[in-house]
Amino acid sequence: MLRRLANYLILVIVATSLAYFLAALSLNPRSNFEAQKPRPTNAQIDATLKTYNLDPETPVVVRYARWVDGIAHGNLGKDIKGGSVADDFARKVGVSIRLLVIATLIGSIGGVLVGAYGAIKQYRFFDRWTTLASFFLLAMPVFVVAIALQMFAVNINESAGSTLIQYTGEYNPTLSGFWPVMLSRLQHLILPTITLTLFQIAQYSRYQRNTMLDVLGSDFLRTARAKGLRRRTALMKHGLRTAILPIVPLLVYNIVLLFTGATFTETIFGWHGMGEWLVLSITTNDVNAVAAVSLFTAAVVLVAGLLSDLIYSALDPRVRFS
Amino acid sequence: MSDTSQDSDTSQDSDTSQDSGTSQDSTTEEGLTPVIETSKEPAADRHGGVPPLLEVSDLHVSFPSEAGPVRAVRGVSYAVRPGEVLGIVGESGSGKSVSSMAVLGLLPDSADIRGSIRMDGRELLGLNDAKMSKIRGKDIAMVFQDPLSALTPVYSIGTQIIEAIQVHQDVDKVKARTRAVELLDLVGIPDPHQRVDAFPHEFSGGMRQRAMIAMAIANDPKIIIADEPTTALDVTIQAQVLEVLKKAQDVTGAAIVMITHDLGVIAGFADRVMVMYAGRPVENGPVDEVYYRPRMPYTIGLLGSIPRVDDDERRALTPIDGTPPSMVSLPQGCPFEARCPIAIDVCREREPELVTAPGANHPSACHRSRELMEGGGEGLLDPETIYPVPPVPEAHEIERLPRAERTAVLEVDNLVKHFPLLKGAVFKRRIGTVKAVDGITLEIKEGETLGLVGESGCGKTTTLLEIMDLTGGQAGSVTVFGKDVREVKGNKARKALRRDMQIVFQDPMASLDARMPIGDILAEPLKTHGWDRARTDARIPELLELVGLNPDHADRFPQEFSGGQRQRVSIARALALEPKLVVLDEPVSALDVSIQAGVLNLLDELKSRMGLSYLFVAHDLSVVRHIADRIAVMYLGRIVELGETKSVFHEPSHPYTQALLSAVPLPDPQKERARERILLTGDLPSPANVPSGCRFRNRCPKYLQLDAGDQQRCESEDPQLQSLAPDHTAACHFAEALAVV
Amino acid sequence: MSIQQNVEHEPEADATPALLPPRRSGRGRLTLRRFARNRLALVGIGILVLLFLFAYVGPLVDKWGYNDHDFTAFLDGPSGSHWFGTDQAGTDIFALTTRGLQKSLIIGLLVGLITTTLAATLGAVAGYFGRWIDRVVMWIVDMLLVLPSFLIIAVLSPTFAKSSWLILVVLLALFSWMITARIVRSMTLTLKDREFVKAAKYMGVSDMRIIFRHILPSMASLLIIDGTIQVSLAVIGESSLSYFGFGIQPPDVSLGTVIADGTSYATTYQWLFWFPAGFLVLFGLAIAFIGDGLRDAYDPNSSNAKAQAKAIKEKGKSKDGESDEAAGQRVGSTEVLSQA
């Protein structure tokens, strides 16, 4: 266990370091300042870059050392506008979680149910159509679905004559009062949630359908019925319970990954979460932010992996004891 | 979700019920004939006027398939009376399991079921799921073949038994649990209070099957249907489980329907037997009648093709040629006609009914059954001689030499193979040593067959792989053709050795690459050892002919052949380079008996023709007895008894060999009933946890009879092989011959 | 593999396997037949062929190039002159779409091919030889899985503009072989202990020959199916990166960039979105259909053959653990690349 943890830690360190070097060497933070109006003097720019630990004159190894030193002291450095990366971080993770919790809940449960039911009704109407629909979704990039939904929302809004569904931002900041803000949040949540939920259902249902199909042909299900359980009871108690086991680690994994945000959905619907930050930090040549995001992502991926392993071994008696 | 599923289920059920209802009407009349037939037989009379518990009449089952409907069951009728044991025998695909699944109503929805199944006079076919559920597990209980996959892996054994109790009885959890513990105790699970909370994977195969039986008798069923209940188990465990099943019957008074392919198991266990072939019963009657006075060539062939542990002289087995017909496109006449040695014109035209021939005491389905009389005679056929008995192959010149004068092809001296035992799912650590092979010494001379026997987990396969790996093991030595494999350095020298020793594996499908035509498969060893194209091409038809296959089939793929033919291909491949030693790893255990006989005969013949030596690894003692010159019995990584075949079978001297031999069922009802079994307690211990002193002592029946001083010796001193007779050694401090067959 | 359910038959009899109609041929033809019966898969192939025709013949018919600007038509709807309309710079959407589709098709197929080859070779070698080779390969796999691939490709994207889009292909492939390699490795571990591999080994066949002649062909089905999945993942990945400006760099176009350029006008001038997006989805669907058809044709689990086999009950145990695992990990991989 410890060895594996150590190995993971090394992986995180190597991955993050690599990301740092790549970002530091190929991004050009200077361009941000050169584009500013009025354009600061070169000396000013150099000075600012230096304080941000972005100075291209300093050898990259030295910059890296400083960055690592900062992390050791809990300091993730400054973003390109001079703010604290750590503060950005907290804010953006919060946004991502607000966006993703509902979608993940509906997506996981929906996916499991759709998949299991599809397996029971294999090759019948329900199964055929959900299979086709998930194919359709999984064959599409997220941004296509997101944009299509936006266009759809515009149509609805137009025909309703008022803006029922919002498709950019998290809420309308001009509003005040608890209920109006909540309503606005809700209006803004609809589209991204639909996008995310659809994809998750599509994915999980495919997987759940497979595991359920395996279980359906199993001998123990036959035993359960042979001892007098009705088909439905046997399916729920023995079938689904067993078929859901392999899905659980996947769900856990994805829930942990919530923290890293949803790149496309956030960007397209204008939510300022982790996912959007990833894109933004690259387009704004924000080296420290890029490094922070990759550090965080690597760490989260590993935690997710570990956690799902642990949960699996806790759930499956076969793994627990062998 | 669940609501709709329920709706459509019931609607579907009612659909099928209508289907079977109507078709039933149309078939009852024809269906009546066989039923009357069975009730006429004397066996039924023995049970007097007792009405049958379960009555299956004219059952037909077919499944849709890509090639058309598979008619898996075509008119099965039988009746089971209270307390009776009915054995249903047949080879794979004969429809024996499908017909019993139909009784429980557990066939897939796609199955088309017709006929009638009555339980206590009540028609079961067409009952919906809810009604059937009240019968399943209560009136009719089931024991399945593979107890690992038949138990839900995520629930403890106790939970599953409690569930079975609570489905049918209105008792609280505490009571049900107490009952579950009682049941586990009844079926002989040690420490039932603790083991009740164990999960299926923590049980051994035999224990799981016991737990399955406990579950089956939880509600005092009237009938227990056991579908190949011991097929996945070793013989000694099989003997235990059969004993438990008998006990379960005594306790509940249930009737048992025992489905199996093993004629030996039925012989001692069943009252009546029904032989099935191609979806139909072909012979039906009291066990003694069917075994001693068979009236149908298939039954006769089946009985003749089984090697028996009580065979004394060496005889060639009589295989049934050919293959069961396709259940999709059955020929018009008798389905057995193509394989039958006494088929006549009428057999090709009309399928025979199951009727009692004049002079016979039980019904059989053969146009010529009236001619098939014991002892033959004028115008009659003697069942003993209808199958041509293949000649016993003439011994090779090497085989005629006295053993001492032949050179050794394989010598294994004190071979050891230990594995580290790792524990932990997420993190692994070494917690012990698996002593898979723990000091094995054996020798094979030219032209000799050594049978290495033992139950699963005894280390026989590891031994064999260690020999084939040519690494020399962790300790001890392996000497092949006089060369210590440790001294053989370099790939070239090793390759040269490999040329002379070849292997045939158990599963012919797994050992042939499904993506290559068999011509390429046979060419591979030749190519590897540098034969040129022309020579290889000439060799392939030769090889195919050698093993009795059509040389024109070289471009076919393995999956186009049957199991027996594939095994022949494997053998041909092993013989391609004309080796001196062939290692055979359970070469016939994946085959049906009637096919097994043909392969065994072939092996015997090739050995004599080519002067081969065999290392024949098997778990089936009767097969080994048939083919081996000498026998080594393995237990927990060691050889416990070694000697000439006859001597080991006649005078088994190690208590384990005795138990093993006594556990092998004989296809001979009278002998079987008279035999006394030496039942071993418990399971084979894990090779990670070998007992001190004699490794067999914790299961040894002899140990229990010894006084304290002698027991002390077994506990502290590891017995070595000691000579009992010329060429017969046993590793027991108190070895003593005991005839058990 | 219903063929494996044959009941025994002996040499003397005609080779008619029981339970099957006579004259059954090899696995390949059986697979082909099942595939051919799968209508969706045939539709997939049909669509794919049409897409290729469209992408390469279309530009020959159209009078506009993807770099041309029609200064008389900005944001014009579909018309006789501009079949798919024009964008804000007066570029012909038809020309853009065909050009973008060409890129997407080529990138998808190339990445699929490279990924599968890489995964098969490395996975099989790691699994077969074990020891340090295995450890090194698996460490690289873990490593690449942890690396934020999106970020790295994005950061490196300016270089594509300077040199070649082929670098994008290499990068996409580099970051997508790992999970397949893991599956291949675990299958190799099982296959290594299978009897036909042992038989070859005991015959003296060399290791590399065993890998390429016995082990990899045995998982051809998995590799082919995986290849198709990789193609569609690559297309999605490429277009997504391009959408953010991290993929194909101007002046070249891909469907992703075409859609991205039109996004801000899309709600009003819908042809800017629907045409390129439609073709992208069509491509993805075609690949998905083909992959699914192949799986159905190869995998005995997915047809009703399995239910029958169960019912007729045989000794042979199914050994499809691998394909389940494959399915499981597959979901994971979609997740990694598409990043929702």
Side-chain angles (χ1 to χ4, degrees):
Chain A
M1 184 67 172
L2 280 176
R3 244 180 74 186
R4 191 152 147 197
L5 204 67
N7 188 29
Y8 273 0
L9 273 177
I10 294 173
L11 279 175
V12 172
I13 292 169
V14 175
T16 325
S17 308
L18 220 111
Y20 184 89
F21 284 117
L22 262 174
L25 289 174
S26 46
L27 293 182
N28 179 15
R30 177 176 283 269
S31 59
N32 277 306
F33 299 96
E34 284 168 348
Q36 271 176 22
K37 281 174 191 159
R39 188 176 187 277
T41 62
N42 280 346
Q44 275 174 324
I45 295 176
D46 286 345
T48 320
L49 287 177
K50 236 183 202 117
T51 50
Y52 293 171
N53 189 27
L54 295 173
D55 181 19
E57 302 300 314
T58 322
V60 70
V61 184
V62 176
R63 278 184 273 157
Y64 174 69
R66 274 196 213 135
W67 182 71
V68 172
D69 186 58
I71 292 176
H73 295 96
N75 179 7
L76 290 169
K78 298 270 183 215
D79 68 26
I80 204 75
K81 296 196 184 94
S84 154
V85 171
D87 291 348
D88 295 347
F89 217 107
R91 206 172 52 244
K92 294 186 190 272
V93 168
V95 172
S96 284
I97 291 177
R98 280 200 292 279
L99 171 67
L100 289 164
V101 162
I102 296 180
T104 305
L105 271 179
I106 305 177
S108 313
I109 298 171
V112 166
L113 291 181
V114 168
Y117 191 64
I120 295 171
K121 299 275 156 195
Q122 194 188 10
Y123 299 135
R124 305 262 188 82
F125 182 80
F126 179 85
D127 182 41
R128 280 187 191 284
W129 283 102
T130 49
T131 303
L132 205 68
S134 51
F135 263 4
F136 214 73
L137 272 170
L138 292 178
M140 278 191 251
V142 183
F143 65 90
V144 170
V145 177
I147 296 171
L149 278 174
Q150 279 188 346
M151 294 166 74
F152 187 59
V154 170
N155 285 341
I156 290 186
N157 287 344
E158 272 171 9
S159 59
S162 70
T163 316
L164 289 178
I165 304 169
Q166 297 287 350
Y167 48 87
T168 40
E170 203 182 337
Y171 63 100
N172 186 346
T174 59
L175 291 171
S176 61
F178 179 75
W179 287 113
V181 171
M182 275 316 269
L183 184 72
S184 162
R185 280 183 181 279
L186 210 66
Q187 284 176 326
H188 284 86
L189 254 180
I190 295 175
L191 282 190
T193 302
I194 291 180
T195 313
L196 291 166
T197 310
L198 281 179
F199 275 95
Q200 294 191 53
I201 291 185
Q203 254 173 42
Y204 299 149
S205 68
R206 295 284 73 210
Y207 191 20
Q208 177 71 61
R209 180 176 178 271
N210 274 354
T211 60
M212 191 71 186
L213 276 180
D214 279 351
V215 169
L216 283 184
S218 69
D219 289 352
F220 61 78
L221 206 60
R222 194 177 59 176
T223 310
R225 292 191 67 200
K227 66 181 161 186
L229 292 183
R230 295 226 198 151
R231 188 175 138 92
R232 187 165 131 201
T233 322
L235 277 179
M236 294 303 279
K237 232 183 130 182
H238 290 261
L240 194 59
R241 168 73 175 80
T242 313
I244 215 168
L245 264 189
I247 313 285
V248 171
L250 188 78
L251 294 181
V252 171
Y253 191 84
N254 277 291
I255 289 169
V256 178
L257 283 190
L258 283 187
F259 295 95
T260 59
T263 313
F264 295 93
T265 317
E266 285 178 9
T267 313
I268 290 163
F269 293 107
W271 283 58
H272 307 303
M274 286 298 293
E276 188 215 38
W277 197 27
L278 173 68
V279 177
L280 213 63
S281 61
I282 300 168
T283 46
T284 55
N285 292 301
D286 194 342
V287 176
N288 286 333
V290 168
V293 172
S294 30
L295 173 66
F296 183 71
T297 312
V300 166
V301 167
L302 290 184
V303 169
L306 264 161
L307 209 65
S308 62
D309 275 4
L310 284 177
I311 295 222
Y312 187 69
S313 59
L315 282 179
D316 191 334
R318 284 167 294 187
V319 180
R320 216 185 307 158
F321 289 100
S322 63
Chain B
M1 154 190 154
S2 356
D3 281 344
T4 38
S5 106
Q6 185 58 22
D7 286 353
S8 54
D9 279 349
T10 35
S11 67
Q12 212 194 350
D13 280 342
S14 55
D15 279 345
T16 42
S17 80
Q18 273 174 2
D19 276 4
S20 50
T22 43
S23 53
Q24 191 191 312
D25 291 340
S26 59
T27 47
T28 356
E29 268 164 82
E30 320 151 23
L32 275 175
T33 342
V35 177
I36 290 169
E37 219 54 66
T38 32
S39 53
K40 258 188 205 156
E41 70 190 70
D45 291 342
R46 245 194 271 153
H47 292 268
V50 186
L53 248 184
L54 176 71
E55 201 174 353
V56 174
S57 28
D58 202 33
L59 183 70
H60 288 257
V61 180
S62 65
F63 299 96
S65 86
E66 292 174 17
V70 175
R71 298 164 66 199
V73 176
R74 309 177 301 122
V76 166
S77 305
Y78 62 83
V80 186
R81 289 174 178 77
E84 187 185 34
V85 180
L86 170 72
I88 301 182
V89 197
E91 293 180 286
S92 20
S94 61
K96 55 192 194 303
S97 289
V98 177
S99 55
S100 64
M101 283 298 138
V103 171
L104 278 177
L106 288 181
L107 288 176
D109 296 340
S110 60
D112 177 24
I113 312 165
R114 290 177 302 153
S116 153
I117 298 167
R118 281 169 191 278
M119 166 97 203
D120 274 342
R122 179 184 180 200
E123 178 61 52
L124 299 188
L125 258 190
L127 287 189
N128 65 20
D129 188 45
K131 285 181 182 150
M132 242 355 249
S133 295
K134 295 214 171 70
I135 295 168
R136 275 186 223 128
K138 179 149 196 308
D139 295 328
I140 310 176
M142 183 96 196
V143 177
F144 293 102
Q145 172 176 5
D146 181 356
L148 177 58
S149 60
L151 291 167
T152 309
V154 295
Y155 293 122
S156 71
I157 298 280
T159 313
Q160 300 190 45
I161 299 180
I162 291 169
E163 187 181 32
I165 297 170
Q166 287 189 318
V167 177
H168 298 290
Q169 295 173 35
D170 187 22
V171 290
D172 60 29
K173 198 134 199 178
V174 183
K175 262 201 177 140
R177 193 186 153 88
T178 319
R179 173 96 175 110
V181 174
E182 277 170 28
L183 285 166
L184 286 177
D185 191 37
L186 180 76
V187 295
I189 301 238
D191 291 333
H193 285 280
Q194 271 148 39
R195 305 303 300 233
V196 74
D197 292 318
F199 287 92
H201 67 275
E202 297 172 280
F203 271 25
S204 68
M207 301 255 277
R208 275 185 225 124
Q209 199 56 292
R210 286 165 192 259
M212 274 292 281
I213 295 173
M215 203 185 295
I217 59 174
N219 296 302
D220 285 325
K222 294 175 187 162
I223 298 178
I224 300 170
I225 297 178
D227 186 359
E228 303 265 13
T230 58
T231 305
L233 306 172
D234 281 315
V235 265
T236 59
I237 308 297
Q238 162 172 297
Q240 292 173 359
V241 168
L242 288 175
E243 208 59 32
V244 171
L245 210 52
K246 264 266 189 287
K247 189 170 171 194
Q249 191 195 15
D250 290 345
V251 174
T252 58
I256 293 183
V257 176
M258 171 82 128
I259 297 155
T260 178
H261 66 280
D262 189 333
L263 283 161
V265 169
I266 293 275
F269 197 83
D271 301 319
R272 286 193 305 128
V273 61
M274 179 168 90
V275 182
M276 284 189 69
Y277 185 79
R280 291 195 79 168
V282 293
E283 187 143 18
N284 183 353
V287 189
D288 288 30
E289 273 292 318
V290 174
Y291 277 68
Y292 298 128
R293 284 172 287 279
R295 288 296 192 123
M296 155 80 198
Y298 176 65
T299 319
I300 297 167
L302 215 51
L303 285 164
S305 61
I306 312 172
R308 295 168 59 149
V309 274
D310 59 343
D311 269 344
D312 249 350
E313 87 260 45
R314 182 163 206 150
R315 61 177 178 116
L317 302 166
T318 50
I320 307 176
D321 292 340
T323 161
S326 155
M327 304 296 276
V328 179
S329 50
L330 276 170
Q332 188 195 8
C334 172
F336 188 63
E337 180 268 325
R339 307 174 71 188
C340 186
I342 55 165
I344 48 177
D345 286 347
V346 64
C347 302
R348 273 176 281 277
E349 286 151 18
R350 199 157 51 78
E351 186 164 3
E353 295 281 322
L354 185 70
V355 289
T356 309
N361 291 323
H362 65 272
S364 56
C366 179
H367 291 303
R368 301 187 73 181
S369 60
R370 68 183 63 200
E371 299 164 59
L372 281 166
M373 292 287 271
E374 224 178 330
E378 188 59 36
L380 297 177
L381 294 160
D382 182 0
E384 292 275 320
T385 57
I386 58 167
Y387 282 90
V389 181
V392 178
E394 208 169 301
H396 192 268
E397 50 185 309
I398 290 176
E399 290 178 71
R400 281 181 233 143
L401 284 175
R403 186 165 190 267
E405 287 171 32
R406 305 187 217 164
T407 49
V409 290
L410 174 73
E411 290 155 277
V412 176
D413 188 32
N414 209 18
L415 183 73
V416 171
K417 174 78 179 182
H418 291 179
F419 299 97
L421 180 64
L422 303 172
K423 195 189 165 96
V426 186
F427 44 96
K428 291 194 160 55
R429 60 181 192 278
R430 186 178 173 136
I431 56 156
T433 306
V434 180
K435 297 177 174 172
V437 177
D438 200 18
I440 290 248
T441 303
L442 51 84
E443 183 192 50
I444 299 177
K445 300 255 181 169
E446 271 180 295
E448 181 176 87
T449 300
L450 176 73
L452 185 61
V453 224
E455 295 178 280
S456 41
C458 73
K460 53 189 194 300
T461 302
T462 315
T463 308
L464 181 149
L465 295 181
E466 268 311 284
I467 294 171
M468 288 307 293
D469 274 338
L470 294 182
T471 51
Q474 287 156 333
S477 69
V478 176
T479 311
V480 193
F481 316 118
K483 287 180 201 133
D484 187 334
V485 295
R486 261 182 238 275
E487 322 267 285
V488 180
K489 296 264 155 49
N491 282 338
K492 227 180 197 157
R494 198 160 286 165
K495 206 162 151 184
L497 262 193
R498 294 216 182 281
R499 183 193 174 100
D500 286 335
M501 53 191 295
Q502 294 290 330
I503 188 164
V504 175
F505 288 101
Q506 169 177 10
D507 182 350
M509 194 60 220
S511 63
L512 303 176
D513 194 331
R515 280 143 204 88
M516 291 159 106
I518 58 166
D520 286 3
I521 288 175
L522 294 178
E524 191 164 30
L526 301 171
K527 210 159 150 191
T528 307
H529 288 275
W531 286 40
D532 62 35
R533 187 71 196 266
R535 254 177 96 201
T536 307
D537 286 349
R539 179 79 173 136
I540 288 167
E542 232 174 82
L543 283 169
L544 286 172
E545 218 149 349
L546 184 71
V547 295
L549 294 175
N550 187 340
D552 299 336
H553 291 177
D555 56 351
R556 297 200 179 180
F557 287 87
Q559 53 271 43
E560 295 175 60
F561 294 89
S562 70
Q565 289 173 319
R566 278 181 221 140
Q567 198 57 296
R568 284 167 193 263
V569 175
S570 289
I571 293 170
R573 176 175 61 181
L575 296 180
L577 292 159
E578 302 195 329
K580 296 179 197 145
L581 171 66
V582 180
V583 175
L584 301 148
D585 185 9
E586 302 264 12
V588 294
S589 61
L591 308 175
D592 272 326
V593 269
S594 68
I595 274 75
Q596 174 179 311
V599 174
L600 284 176
N601 284 348
L602 174 72
L603 285 172
D604 233 3
E605 186 201 320
L606 289 171
K607 178 192 155 204
S608 297
R609 187 152 20 135
M610 303 171 67
L612 300 168
S613 306
Y614 289 151
L615 172 56
F616 192 105
V617 175
H619 70 278
D620 189 335
L621 284 157
S622 31
V623 167
V624 172
R625 160 145 225 191
H626 179 78
I627 197 152
D629 301 310
R630 298 177 76 233
I631 280 184
V633 181
M634 247 185 116
Y635 183 78
L636 219 53
R638 275 284 173 82
I639 289 176
V640 295
E641 186 155 3
L642 175 70
E644 205 195 327
T645 303
K646 233 181 206 161
S647 149
V648 172
F649 274 85
H650 278 292
E651 291 158 350
S653 302
H654 193 282
Y656 177 64
T657 315
Q658 292 161 3
L660 203 58
L661 273 174
S662 88
V664 180
L666 292 168
D668 189 330
Q670 280 167 12
K671 262 198 185 170
E672 193 60 11
R673 280 193 287 266
R675 272 174 94 192
E676 213 161 303
R677 287 240 140 80
I678 303 171
L679 280 185
L680 291 181
T681 51
D683 297 311
L684 188 72
S686 153
N689 189 15
V690 176
S692 68
C694 174
R695 54 194 63 212
F696 184 58
R697 68 172 160 82
N698 57 346
R699 298 174 74 198
C700 182
K702 177 157 258 168
Y703 172 79
L704 296 175
Q705 293 160 8
L706 299 173
D707 61 45
D710 287 344
Q711 286 192 347
Q712 182 60 39
R713 190 170 167 212
C714 295
E715 281 154 34
S716 55
E717 199 186 320
D718 193 359
Q720 299 302 311
L721 282 172
Q722 44 195 301
S723 184
L724 303 167
D727 199 15
H728 188 169
T729 55
C732 175
H733 297 304
F734 307 97
E736 199 182 356
L738 177 72
V740 288
V741 187
Chain C
M1 244 170 290
S2 55
I3 276 183
Q4 283 183 20
Q5 297 298 335
N6 295 358
V7 181
E8 310 300 329
H9 59 126
E10 282 296 278
E12 290 77 12
D14 67 324
T16 309
L19 308 177
L20 287 171
R23 310 216 118 262
R24 228 338 124 77
S25 42
R27 179 199 179 89
R29 220 176 304 165
L30 183 79
T31 303
L32 202 71
R33 248 175 56 177
R34 285 203 186 158
F35 184 79
R37 209 174 28 237
N38 190 323
R39 256 182 302 150
L40 271 188
L42 289 181
V43 169
I45 289 198
I47 297 176
L48 196 62
V49 170
L50 288 179
L51 283 178
F52 261 100
L53 278 176
F54 174 76
Y56 284 94
V57 179
L60 304 179
V61 184
D62 190 21
K63 60 183 172 189
W64 302 98
Y66 71 97
N67 273 334
D68 299 346
H69 301 276
D70 181 356
F71 297 107
T72 63
F74 296 109
L75 291 170
D76 257 8
S79 65
S81 156
H82 297 284
W83 299 326
F84 287 3
T86 60
D87 69 2
Q88 63 276 19
T91 316
D92 183 54
I93 298 291
F94 185 89
L96 282 175
T97 305
T98 48
R99 175 68 187 178
L101 189 58
Q102 283 180 13
K103 268 274 129 37
S104 294
L105 285 169
I106 291 201
I107 291 181
L109 296 178
L110 265 182
V111 172
L113 191 72
I114 299 177
T115 304
T116 309
T117 316
L118 211 61
T121 317
L122 286 173
V125 165
Y128 187 81
F129 290 105
R131 294 163 192 267
W132 64 270
I133 298 184
D134 186 31
R135 254 175 274 150
V136 169
V137 174
M138 283 304 108
W139 198 80
I140 295 175
V141 165
D142 284 345
M143 173 78 215
L144 285 173
L145 281 175
V146 176
L147 279 181
S149 53
F150 177 86
L151 194 137
I152 290 177
I153 298 178
V155 167
L156 290 176
S157 59
T159 47
F160 313 152
K162 280 178 234 146
S163 40
S164 157
W165 56 271
L166 282 171
I167 295 180
L168 176 66
V169 170
V170 171
L171 279 175
L172 278 172
L174 192 70
F175 283 111
S176 33
W177 60 274
M178 298 85 73
I179 287 171
T180 314
R182 266 196 188 163
I183 301 166
V184 170
R185 174 180 169 270
S186 70
M187 285 181 75
T188 308
L189 286 178
T190 5
L191 283 170
K192 203 169 84 170
D193 286 331
R194 286 280 292 284
E195 294 176 341
F196 71 91
V197 174
K198 271 195 202 152
K201 197 175 134 202
Y202 291 147
M203 256 178 256
V205 181
S206 73
D207 290 334
M208 284 323 262
R209 211 180 142 75
I210 289 181
I211 290 181
F212 287 103
R213 202 170 147 84
H214 291 286
I215 291 185
L216 285 180
S218 305
M219 39 179 128
S221 57
L222 171 101
L223 294 175
I224 292 172
I225 293 162
D226 194 78
T228 62
I229 294 170
Q230 293 294 353
V231 170
S232 73
L233 286 182
V235 173
I236 292 178
E238 179 274 321
S239 61
S240 302
L241 283 164
S242 300
Y243 179 79
F244 286 122
F246 300 142
I248 292 294
Q249 300 294 316
D252 210 345
V253 294
S254 90
L255 288 178
T257 61
V258 177
I259 296 171
D261 290 344
T263 309
S264 37
Y265 303 92
T267 43
T268 330
Y269 309 102
Q270 301 209 348
W271 58 88
L272 291 183
F273 173 72
W274 288 119
F275 285 113
F279 281 99
L280 188 57
V281 171
L282 219 53
F283 182 25
L285 267 184
I287 295 288
F289 287 165
I290 295 171
D292 193 63
L294 281 172
R295 191 191 350 259
D296 267 1
Y298 266 114
D299 184 359
N301 274 342
S302 58
S303 76
N304 55 1
K306 189 180 180 181
Q308 279 167 36
K310 280 257 169 208
I312 294 158
K313 204 129 161 72
E314 245 322 282
K315 290 176 187 166
K317 293 214 174 95
S318 84
K319 33 156 182 59
D320 299 303
E322 304 98 10
S323 57
D324 303 339
E325 189 188 352
Q329 302 216 18
R330 177 64 40 229
V331 179
S333 90
T334 333
E335 202 278 326
V336 169
L337 253 190
S338 69
Q339 293 210 339

